[in-house]
């Protein structure tokens, strides 16, 4: 990754309404940087594959209090959003 971002922790340790949105927000800056520096990782994330950089990011999210599955799902969703937004430039 180009730069390390501080990943925000969840508001509560257990599930709560809006937790998925909070996880997306916590990982958005790091995924954006990863997308800018490693297109292969973004493509891999869209396909559900966790490359080394993606695994590192998911483990960093775990350290902040998110589950690995929450982080993985958020990374995949953010990768698809990034690619979708990039495609609109050419529409």
């Amino acid at each position: 990754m180009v730069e390390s971002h501080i990943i925000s922790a969840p508001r509560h340790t257990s599930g709560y309404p809006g937790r998925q949105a909070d996880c997306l927000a916590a990982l958005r800056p790091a995924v954006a940087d990863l997308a800018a520096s490693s297109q292969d990782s973004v493509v891999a994330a869209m396909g559900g594959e966790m490359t080394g950089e993606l695994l590192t990011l998911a483990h960093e999210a775990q350290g902040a209090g998110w589950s690995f599955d929450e982080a993985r799902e958020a990374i995949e969703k953010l990768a698809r959003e990034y690619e979708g937004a990039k495609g609109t430039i050419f529409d």
Side-chain angles (χ1 to χ4, degrees):
M1 256 186 281
V2 172
E3 161 182 346
S4 180
H5 290 276
I6 295 173
I7 298 173
S8 302
R11 289 183 275 156
H12 305 287
T13 55
S14 60
Y16 59 88
R19 185 174 169 106
Q20 181 182 16
D22 287 351
C23 187
L24 288 167
L27 289 170
R28 184 169 271 116
V31 172
D33 278 352
L34 187 60
S37 67
S38 178
Q39 186 62 33
D40 291 342
S41 289
V42 171
V43 171
M46 290 172 47
E49 182 183 341
M50 296 295 283
T51 64
E53 291 173 309
L54 298 172
L55 285 171
T56 298
L57 180 55
H59 289 301
E60 288 174 7
Q62 273 187 299
W66 304 100
S67 74
F68 183 83
D69 286 338
E70 285 175 317
R72 180 186 47 76
E73 289 172 18
I75 291 166
E76 288 176 18
K77 182 175 176 83
L78 290 166
R80 287 190 299 272
E81 284 179 6
Y82 174 81
E83 283 301 303
K86 191 170 82 172
T88 61
I89 295 171
F90 301 106
D91 288 347

